[in-house]
Amino acid sequence: MNFLRGVMGGPSAGPQPSGADTIQKLCDRVASSTLLDDRRDAVRALKSLSKKYRLEVGIQAMEHLIHVLQTDRSDSEIIGYALDTLYNVISNDLEEEEQEENSAKQVDDLGSQFTEIFIKHQENVTLLLTLVEEFDFHVRWPGVKLLTSLLKQQGPQVQQIILVSPMGVSRLMDLLADSREVIRNDGVLLLQQLTKSNAAIQKIVAFENAFERLLDIITEEGNSDGGIVVEDCLLLLQNLLKNNNSNQNFFKEGSYIQRMKPWFEVGDDNCGWSAQKVTNLHLMLQLVRVLVSPTNPPGATSSCQKAMFHCGLLQQLCTILMATGVPADILTETINTVSEVIRGCQTNQDYFASVNAPSNPPRPAIVVLLMSMVNERQPFVLRCAVLYCFQCFLYKNQKGQGEIVSTLLPSTIDATGNSVSAGQLLCGGLFSTDSLSNWCAAVALAHALQENATLKEQLLRVQLATSIGNPPVSLLQQCTNILSQGSKVQTRVGLLMLLCTWLSNCSIAVTHFLHNPANVPFLTGQIAENLGEEEQLVQGLCALLLGISIYYNDNSLENYRKEKLKQLIEKRIGRENFIEKLGFISKHELYSRAAQKPQPSFSSPDHMMFDHEFTKLVKELEGVISKAIYKSSEEDKKEEEVKKTLEQHDNIVTHYKKVIREQDQELEELKQRINTLTSQNEQLQATVTQQVSQIQQHKDQYNLLKVQLGKDTQHHNSHGDTLQMNGIQTEEVSKLKEELEEWKNKHELLQGQLKEKDSVIEKLNSSQLEMGTTEQSSQTSKFGGLEHNHELQKELEMLRSQIQLQSAEISKLQMENQKLQVMNTTADPMLGDGGATAATSSELEGRLEQEIKELKSEVKALSEEKESLKQHLDSSSSTVAILQDEKSKLQREVAESKKEQDDLLVLLADQDQKISALKIKLKDLGVPVEDEDDTESGDQGDEDEDGDEEEQD
């Protein structure tokens, strides 16, 4: 301890030792001291010197500190000091004073070098992972900080060591469950560094329930109103989800998207947003965009978009979009987020079209956003976001495209002028004095026409009133007029992109464009001039527009046929020069930037030149236009002839496809009717089976009753003899009455069962009659009905035999009654009450005779019912014969339709052979031929064959 007092600055008579000497003595003390207290004090001293003498402590003490971590694990205090010392040496988080003294580059190099020394032995990192598992705060917290620093310095190497370490990632996941917020929060920072750019670790962390824990922390901290902990959790979630399709799918299937909705529940009072809240909400919006990014697989993006709509997240974002008092950067990011949530999803696009702004009168959200886009006083990033939102709304949305274009057509324009439509705003922006508004409006209008030839033709009807007293001009003519007036480069680029999109794949629009005699000379003049670099882009777009006018020209104008336009290019420009100018577009730097992603992101308004979708159009047309320029007139004629022949064949094929579709529909209807009849037959069979089981139950009950009847008869005979011997005539008569009552009840029970059978038979007959009204009946129902009728006949015979047996039993009872009367007369002299007994016997005889008469009448009624049932059976047999005839007719009709379909397929095969031969000729001539019709017809043929096989089955 005296040594330490001298080292730590106590009074000393001699010269003071230098820092390096002191560190060396402390290191020797750590290595050689046997007492734990001495080693602990030496490590504490090294910790206090490690910030000021970082290099010396790192070089001399690192090995000793690692040895302490290995040998002194039982003492948490010395382990904590050692971890803190290593953190100070490796970490680059220096204090301000030290940052002033050392340059940033030297600091980075020093931390990286010490990290490399530490991780050179992988067991050091494994040891550190073991220490992080300790619950002691003084061990766990420094261990977490040290491991985080190692990942910052040498991320990939440390990640690999942790990945191969047993349960390495799982140990670190336990930090999120620590009840001490300091450790939990630093654990989030550690996982941030651990999951950077490592998909394998990202998957392990996700499947270790990271999403659930992080969302719980965000909720506990107050969602967007939380502090920096929420920001750290959101950054970690971004690391786990960005460019990781597996984790995105796991996040969606775990229903975690639904838990994001409360993040965006912003109150009515939007004043005084803190900087942390703005940061948190910005990260939350970015996290939503990660799930629906256009770079994700289309299927994953679509499923996330649908989930966001169903849970109300899209509705919540639209609420923020239309709210007041929202900061500009949050509003911009919200617009971008809504854009990607609705992009290419018809349901979400339809909902967005129905959103209204809270104004008086209410206006559609699209109109309000377009007002911001064409307003030059709005921030540039906001205008770009609105343009992106409009593009995403129209992406693969023909319904939305039609609604936008319809606001420009004469029949739908509001004559009162009370409300502003989207089309009017686009036209206003297209012809305003602000070049950025011109460009945005032109690109937006081009997206309304994207891949929609019908709307391109309809837009030709749009007329604009330029000034009072002058006749209106078409929108197409007005665009070319502004183009020829020599406006700004950005305006001309936007208009040329709109015209190229409009004219591509629309021969009618090309004809309208060429009908103006000033357009072709203007384009050739622009292309032929030798202008500066800024004008080269305009020259390339002019060459593209002229090439489109040639490629999609239907030769309806005599002065502007394909061949004449090619001759004009050859004379005034030259083919090589024309191709060179056309290549200016794809070689431009701004073209390459725009082709990377759909979102328009530009550093300044001057760089806003190309649209992402337009770059696809250029890539598609550049090659075919170059080939079209070099084609001769004879090749063009052959191509036209081949195209006409193909169109004729396409019409024939379309006709046959229509016929085949109609026959397919008829076959489907027949199949449905067969399925319906089959289901009805199955129901009837089930009913018959149920009735058979009931009849079997009744048979069992009858046999049981028969056995009981035999026993009762034997019992009564023996009992009667005993009574005769004992002379107890009165009791025998009373018992006989009871037996008669029992037989009467049994008879009534059998009669009720007969009635139930009759009702079941009537139901079956009615169901068979309903089957007779249908057009088809399967052979199974016929056999089932006949078998059931035979079973009913058998059952009637059995019931008749039961009644006969009952009649026999009644006759036996009559015989017994007569015997009892004889016995009664012989017993009169011996019994004092003989008169009363005789009266009772006569009364009993009368009742028996009456009951016998009733039973005979019931037997007669049953025989009549039997006759009626036979008549029902005969009628059902005739019904089955009729149904069989109907079935044979339907089978003949199906065979005839199959024969007709086979003839059509043979005709189609001949047409396909002719088409393929013509396409081969076209390919030999160098004309690009698309195989969509062939593929479609092949698919249709396969479907027909499958349908035939199912019919045969």
Side-chain angles (χ1 to χ4, degrees):
M1 296 299 295
N2 292 331
F3 168 78
L4 284 172
R5 290 192 191 97
V7 169
M8 297 302 293
S12 175
Q16 296 295 326
S18 65
D21 296 338
T22 304
I23 292 168
Q24 183 61 46
K25 292 178 181 177
L26 290 172
C27 291
D28 294 340
R29 191 72 171 175
V30 171
S32 60
S33 293
T34 57
L35 293 176
L36 179 61
D37 291 340
D38 289 348
R39 293 200 303 277
R40 185 190 305 119
D41 292 338
V43 173
R44 185 192 299 120
L46 286 172
K47 174 189 171 184
S48 62
L49 295 172
S50 59
K51 291 185 178 181
K52 186 175 182 180
Y53 299 101
R54 179 183 177 189
L55 178 62
E56 292 80 0
V57 173
I59 293 173
Q60 299 181 38
M62 180 173 289
E63 185 178 350
H64 301 295
L65 294 171
I66 293 173
H67 183 71
V68 168
L69 296 178
Q70 294 171 346
T71 56
D72 292 331
R73 290 185 56 184
S74 59
D75 185 70
S76 60
E77 192 173 357
I78 190 173
I79 294 295
Y81 292 148
L83 291 172
D84 283 333
T85 307
L86 288 171
Y87 173 75
N88 292 337
V89 170
I90 291 173
S91 174
N92 289 326
D93 301 334
L94 301 178
E95 296 181 0
E96 295 181 0
E97 296 178 359
E98 293 167 311
Q99 286 179 354
E100 293 175 359
E101 296 174 1
N102 302 302
S103 66
K105 185 176 180 180
Q106 291 176 343
V107 167
D108 290 342
D109 290 343
L110 196 59
S112 179
Q113 289 172 5
F114 283 136
T115 302
E116 192 171 350
I117 294 171
F118 184 85
I119 67 174
K120 187 175 182 181
H121 301 285
Q122 294 188 7
E123 57 269 17
N124 293 340
V125 179
T126 306
L127 174 63
L128 189 55
L129 289 172
T130 306
L131 294 173
V132 168
E133 282 189 289
E134 297 288 338
F135 186 75
D136 194 310
F137 180 82
H138 297 289
V139 176
R140 195 172 207 182
W141 187 39
V144 170
K145 292 195 297 181
L146 176 57
L147 191 55
T148 305
S149 183
L150 292 173
L151 285 165
K152 286 181 180 179
Q153 302 296 335
Q154 298 286 343
Q157 293 87 336
V158 180
Q159 284 175 342
Q160 193 60 32
I161 296 171
I162 295 175
L163 192 59
V164 300
S165 176
M167 300 295 290
V169 179
S170 300
R171 296 178 189 176
L172 300 180
M173 284 300 300
D174 294 337
L175 297 172
L176 296 180
D178 201 304
S179 58
R180 296 160 292 191
E181 290 190 2
V182 176
I183 294 179
R184 184 200 68 185
N185 298 344
D186 281 350
V188 173
L189 296 175
L190 170 60
L191 291 173
Q192 275 185 32
Q193 300 297 326
L194 181 65
T195 55
K196 276 185 178 179
S197 305
N198 193 308
I201 294 179
Q202 290 168 2
K203 291 179 182 179
I204 296 173
V205 172
F207 283 96
E208 287 284 347
N209 208 21
F211 293 139
E212 184 77 27
R213 296 183 184 180
L214 292 172
L215 292 173
D216 288 342
I217 294 173
I218 292 173
T219 304
E220 292 171 5
E221 295 292 327
N223 294 329
S224 59
D225 293 322
I228 196 170
V229 178
V230 174
E231 178 183 349
D232 294 335
C233 291
L234 291 170
L235 289 171
L236 177 53
L237 284 172
Q238 280 193 20
N239 284 354
L240 295 175
L241 293 173
K242 196 168 186 179
N243 299 324
N244 194 315
N245 300 328
S246 174
N247 283 2
Q248 290 175 8
N249 189 45
F250 180 68
F251 190 85
K252 175 185 69 69
E253 291 180 352
S255 300
Y256 296 120
I257 291 178
Q258 288 80 339
R259 296 189 60 179
M260 298 169 71
K261 183 187 173 185
W263 295 355
F264 306 103
E265 293 177 354
V266 181
D268 297 332
D269 185 14
N270 293 326
C271 302
W273 287 50
S274 65
Q276 187 61 55
K277 182 174 181 177
V278 171
T279 302
N280 291 346
L281 204 54
H282 199 273
L283 290 172
M284 290 172 177
L285 292 168
Q286 287 182 347
L287 193 61
V288 175
R289 293 185 65 185
V290 165
L291 296 172
V292 293
S293 173
T295 59
N296 293 344
T301 300
S302 177
S303 58
C304 289
Q305 288 173 332
K306 291 175 182 176
M308 290 176 183
F309 173 76
H310 290 303
C311 75
L313 180 57
L314 174 59
Q315 293 83 331
Q316 203 66 47
L317 293 173
C318 290
T319 303
I320 299 177
L321 198 65
M322 296 290 106
T324 56
V326 179
D329 52 347
I330 294 297
L331 181 60
T332 302
E333 190 64 22
T334 304
I335 294 172
N336 288 327
T337 306
V338 170
S339 305
E340 295 183 351
V341 172
I342 68 173
R343 187 176 189 268
C345 181
Q346 188 66 52
T347 305
N348 295 3
Q349 289 167 339
D350 291 343
Y351 170 77
F352 184 70
S354 66
V355 175
N356 288 323
S359 59
N360 192 14
R363 289 177 175 173
I366 297 174
V367 172
V368 175
L369 291 174
L370 288 177
M371 292 172 69
S372 300
M373 185 185 75
V374 298
N375 186 355
E376 55 184 312
R377 288 177 294 181
Q378 293 292 341
F380 172 67
V381 290
L382 179 63
R383 298 173 74 179
C384 290
V386 172
L387 176 61
Y388 183 46
C389 184
F390 192 73
Q391 291 174 350
C392 292
F393 170 68
L394 297 178
Y395 183 71
K396 293 183 179 179
N397 183 11
Q398 292 190 352
K399 179 182 176 183
Q401 289 176 324
E403 291 173 352
I404 297 299
V405 172
S406 65
T407 60
L408 287 167
L409 299 178
S411 59
T412 57
I413 294 178
D414 186 8
T416 60
N418 293 332
S419 61
V420 180
S421 67
Q424 291 172 336
L425 288 170
L426 290 177
C427 282
L430 196 61
F431 307 125
S432 71
T433 56
D434 178 30
S435 62
L436 186 58
S437 297
N438 301 152
W439 191 91
C440 291
V443 170
L445 198 55
H447 276 260
L449 304 175
Q450 200 81 34
E451 298 180 359
N452 199 323
T454 305
L455 295 182
K456 292 177 182 178
E457 295 178 9
Q458 290 185 5
L459 201 64
L460 296 172
R461 296 165 43 201
V462 177
Q463 300 289 322
L464 302 174
T466 54
S467 59
I468 299 175
N470 292 330
V473 297
S474 67
L475 177 61
L476 183 64
Q477 182 61 45
Q478 185 65 13
C479 290
T480 55
N481 291 342
I482 296 175
L483 196 61
S484 60
Q485 290 174 2
S487 51
K488 293 182 180 179
V489 173
Q490 192 174 41
T491 301
R492 284 182 287 164
V493 168
L495 290 172
L496 285 168
M497 286 196 297
L498 172 60
L499 291 173
C500 290
T501 305
W502 194 347
L503 269 59
S504 64
N505 205 19
C506 184
S507 300
I508 299 176
V510 171
T511 303
H512 278 254
F513 178 76
L514 296 176
H515 190 70
N516 186 352
N519 288 339
V520 173
F522 168 74
L523 292 178
T524 55
Q526 287 286 319
I527 299 169
E529 291 182 7
N530 292 322
L531 303 173
E533 292 184 1
E534 293 183 356
E535 295 293 332
Q536 285 183 352
L537 190 54
V538 177
Q539 286 183 316
L541 291 171
C542 287
L544 180 64
L545 183 57
L546 186 57
I548 290 172
S549 302
I550 295 173
Y551 186 72
Y552 293 105
N553 192 344
D554 59 359
N555 293 328
S556 58
L557 296 176
E558 185 62 30
N559 294 332
Y560 294 104
R561 297 173 64 85
K562 285 186 177 182
E563 188 58 33
K564 290 188 177 181
L565 290 175
K566 291 179 187 178
Q567 293 174 0
L568 186 65
I569 290 175
E570 180 66 28
K571 291 178 181 178
R572 296 194 178 181
I573 305 171
R575 292 180 182 178
E576 291 77 9
N577 191 23
F578 178 86
I579 300 300
E580 182 184 358
K581 296 293 177 67
L582 183 62
F584 284 164
I585 303 174
S586 56
K587 294 177 182 178
H588 203 281
E589 180 185 0
L590 298 177
Y591 173 90
S592 303
R593 291 183 186 177
Q596 292 176 359
K597 58 181 181 178
Q599 182 182 359
S601 55
F602 305 99
S603 56
S604 67
D606 296 336
H607 293 163
M608 210 168 186
M609 288 295 176
F610 284 108
D611 172 57
H612 178 75
E613 293 296 326
F614 181 74
T615 60
K616 295 181 181 179
L617 182 66
V618 173
K619 189 176 181 180
E620 177 186 347
L621 294 178
E622 187 175 7
V624 296
I625 289 174
S626 300
K627 291 180 181 179
I629 294 298
Y630 283 101
K631 280 183 182 177
S632 63
S633 58
E634 294 179 357
E635 290 176 342
D636 285 335
K637 288 179 181 179
K638 290 181 180 179
E639 184 180 346
E640 288 296 330
E641 291 176 358
V642 172
K643 282 184 178 179
K644 289 180 180 179
T645 308
L646 283 174
E647 287 178 0
Q648 292 175 357
H649 286 294
D650 288 342
N651 294 333
I652 296 172
V653 170
T654 304
H655 172 68
Y656 282 125
K657 285 179 181 178
K658 184 178 179 182
V659 173
I660 290 172
R661 288 193 188 99
E662 291 175 354
Q663 291 187 347
D664 284 340
Q665 290 177 358
E666 293 177 359
L667 285 173
E668 286 297 327
E669 291 176 359
L670 289 173
K671 287 179 182 178
Q672 290 177 1
R673 288 164 63 181
I674 290 172
N675 291 334
T676 304
L677 291 173
T678 304
S679 62
Q680 290 178 358
N681 181 31
E682 290 175 353
Q683 291 176 0
L684 288 173
Q685 285 181 346
T687 306
V688 169
T689 305
Q690 184 179 2
Q691 294 302 322
V692 169
S693 63
Q694 290 180 0
I695 290 171
Q696 185 62 39
Q697 290 177 1
H698 293 157
K699 288 180 180 178
D700 296 339
Q701 291 176 4
Y702 168 72
N703 293 329
L704 182 61
L705 289 173
K706 188 175 180 181
V707 172
Q708 290 179 355
L709 179 62
K711 290 181 179 179
D712 291 341
T713 303
Q714 294 176 1
H715 174 70
H716 289 312
N717 290 333
S718 61
H719 194 56
D721 294 338
T722 306
L723 287 176
Q724 287 177 6
M725 292 173 64
N726 295 328
I728 309 174
Q729 185 70 29
T730 309
E731 293 179 1
E732 185 176 357
V733 171
S734 63
K735 288 183 179 180
L736 186 60
K737 287 181 180 180
E738 291 176 0
E739 289 173 2
L740 286 172
E741 289 294 326
E742 288 178 2
W743 278 107
K744 187 176 180 180
N745 293 334
K746 292 176 182 177
H747 180 72
E748 291 175 355
L749 177 62
L750 290 172
Q751 191 174 4
Q753 292 175 357
L754 278 174
K755 290 180 180 180
E756 290 178 359
K757 293 291 185 307
D758 292 339
S759 63
V760 171
I761 291 168
E762 289 176 359
K763 288 180 182 178
L764 289 174
N765 287 330
S766 63
S767 64
Q768 286 181 349
L769 290 174
E770 290 175 0
M771 286 178 62
T773 59
T774 58
E775 292 183 9
Q776 292 182 352
S777 174
S778 65
Q779 192 173 0
T780 309
S781 65
K782 172 188 169 186
F783 293 147
L786 290 175
E787 290 175 1
H788 187 58
N789 290 333
H790 289 308
E791 289 178 359
L792 290 175
Q793 287 180 351
K794 292 178 181 179
E795 182 63 22
L796 285 173
E797 293 295 334
M798 292 176 65
L799 292 174
R800 187 177 179 184
S801 63
Q802 289 180 17
I803 292 169
Q804 291 176 353
L805 290 171
Q806 287 182 354
S807 299
E809 293 295 331
I810 290 168
S811 62
K812 288 181 182 179
L813 289 173
Q814 285 179 342
M815 295 290 290
E816 290 177 3
N817 188 20
Q818 290 176 0
K819 290 179 182 180
L820 288 173
Q821 287 179 356
V822 173
M823 290 171 64
N824 197 11
T825 54
T826 56
D828 284 340
M830 293 182 290
L831 295 173
D833 53 349
T837 306
T840 305
S841 298
S842 62
E843 183 181 355
L844 181 61
E845 184 179 0
R847 288 183 181 178
L848 285 172
E849 289 175 355
Q850 185 179 359
E851 288 176 356
I852 289 167
K853 289 179 182 178
E854 291 176 355
L855 288 172
K856 287 181 179 179
S857 63
E858 289 174 358
V859 169
K860 184 179 180 180
L862 287 172
S863 63
E864 291 175 355
E865 289 177 355
K866 175 186 175 184
E867 292 297 330
S868 65
L869 285 173
K870 285 183 178 178
Q871 293 176 359
H872 285 306
L873 287 172
D874 294 336
S875 63
S876 63
S877 299
S878 63
T879 303
V880 169
I882 294 170
L883 291 175
Q884 190 173 5
D885 294 337
E886 292 292 332
K887 179 188 174 186
S888 62
K889 289 179 182 179
L890 287 173
Q891 286 178 343
R892 287 195 297 271
E893 290 176 1
V894 171
E896 290 174 359
S897 65
K898 281 181 64 178
K899 184 178 180 182
E900 291 176 0
Q901 186 175 1
D902 292 335
D903 294 338
L904 290 174
L905 288 173
V906 170
L907 288 174
L908 275 177
D910 294 338
Q911 294 297 332
D912 289 339
Q913 290 177 359
K914 293 178 182 179
I915 290 170
S916 60
L918 289 171
K919 286 187 175 180
I920 291 171
K921 291 180 181 180
L922 277 175
K923 289 180 179 178
D924 295 336
L925 293 172
V927 178
V929 179
E930 296 179 353
D931 295 330
E932 294 178 356
D933 291 337
D934 296 340
T935 305
E936 183 179 356
S937 64
D939 294 339
Q940 186 64 46
D942 293 340
E943 292 175 1
D944 293 336
E945 292 175 4
D946 294 339
D948 294 341
E949 291 175 2
E950 291 176 2
E951 183 63 25
Q952 291 173 4
D953 294 338

